[in-house]
Amino acid sequence: MKYKISLFLLLTTVLFSCQNENEKRLAENAKEAKKKEAIFNNINKGWTFLDEPINEISESQLNSWTEWREFIKEIGEKPRKTIGAFQKKSTAISKKAMALNNNIPAQFNQPQIKSRISILITKIKMLDLFIHLSTIPDDKVVFLIQEINKELISLERQMDKIVERAKIPKEEGEADFLKMLDTTRAIPSSAPPIDQNNIQKVE
């Protein structure tokens, strides 16, 4: 009889312990789900890229740059429903951003444009890295989206400056003056040394 009572008490303790474990697990799962939902809502709210040109000048000049058009289209499409959709979109944006180094129109193929594209790519890669972490730092993701928007504005403003500068008519002789300043056109310094013995002395 004592054996049966002991067995009954043991089974009751085990069942009670399992019930407590299940309740703890359910509470932790609910807490984790709530945390993930908060992260998703924060990213969903902050996921707004500037996909419209800030000036019509650069827009008209960029129609022939396929990589730029595809990049702008990619950032303009907002993902929906899951954090996984945002992760896929981030990877797609990163690939399109990397392609911006290709086929840059001759007018914009300048160091100040290339450096801004490089900064833009770096920040997009950071966004892609952060959004794929097991615990997503949603505040950093939202901050990087704002930083990417700033870089887009900076890049487009630089493009506009280049377009505006090209419209200013050059003054007469300015082209020749600019050629003179071009060091790549200078006479090479590899001319043979002058033989001092052959120089006739002027009396």
Side-chain angles (χ1 to χ4, degrees):
M1 187 70 182
K2 283 181 181 179
Y3 174 75
K4 285 183 180 179
I5 292 168
S6 297
L7 187 62
F8 175 74
L9 289 172
L10 181 65
L11 284 170
T12 306
T13 307
V14 169
L15 286 170
F16 188 71
S17 175
C18 286
Q19 191 177 353
N20 280 348
E21 283 298 316
N22 283 341
E23 283 174 7
K24 273 184 188 176
R25 200 176 296 115
L26 288 169
E28 282 173 13
N29 288 346
K31 190 178 176 182
E32 190 64 27
K34 202 171 181 181
K35 187 180 174 184
K36 283 181 179 176
E37 187 183 355
I39 288 170
F40 171 81
N41 288 337
N42 194 21
I43 291 172
N44 188 42
K45 188 179 173 184
W47 194 280
T48 308
F49 288 101
L50 297 177
D51 60 337
E52 291 294 326
I54 58 168
N55 194 317
E56 290 178 13
I57 297 168
S58 57
E59 183 183 13
S60 63
Q61 301 292 321
L62 291 167
N63 284 336
S64 61
W65 191 7
T66 308
E67 289 79 6
W68 176 263
R69 283 200 328 268
E70 287 178 359
F71 169 72
I72 292 296
K73 186 180 176 218
E74 195 69 57
I75 63 172
E77 297 168 352
K78 186 174 179 178
R80 300 272 180 244
K81 295 181 181 178
T82 65
I83 203 72
F86 282 101
Q87 289 170 331
K88 282 180 185 174
K89 176 56 73 175
S90 175
T91 302
I93 289 171
S94 184
K95 283 178 183 173
K96 297 290 182 189
M98 288 294 292
L100 289 176
N101 283 317
N102 304 330
N103 305 317
I104 300 172
Q107 188 176 18
F108 299 129
N109 198 0
Q110 299 184 23
Q112 58 268 43
I113 295 292
K114 288 181 174 180
S115 65
R116 281 169 174 79
I117 289 172
S118 179
I119 294 165
L120 180 66
I121 290 170
T122 301
K123 292 194 174 177
I124 288 171
K125 280 184 171 180
M126 284 172 68
L127 169 70
D128 193 37
L129 172 73
F130 282 130
I131 205 164
H132 279 91
L133 294 174
S134 53
T135 303
I136 300 169
D138 49 314
D139 290 337
K140 284 185 180 177
V141 168
V142 172
F143 173 75
L144 277 167
I145 290 167
Q146 293 166 359
E147 288 295 299
I148 290 164
N149 283 332
K150 285 178 190 173
E151 294 307 326
L152 281 168
I153 291 169
S154 172
L155 177 57
E156 289 188 12
R157 282 196 177 137
Q158 188 61 46
M159 288 175 181
D160 288 334
K161 278 182 191 174
I162 290 167
V163 172
E164 284 292 343
R165 212 175 293 137
K167 283 183 175 180
I168 300 167
K170 287 185 170 64
E171 291 184 21
E172 193 177 330
E174 186 179 347
D176 294 331
F177 178 72
L178 291 172
K179 281 181 185 175
M180 285 170 56
L181 292 175
D182 187 359
T183 55
T184 59
R185 297 171 52 86
I187 298 169
S189 60
S190 59
I194 298 168
D195 186 358
Q196 296 293 330
N197 295 328
N198 288 339
I199 298 174
Q200 292 179 353
K201 291 181 181 178
V202 179
E203 292 181 9

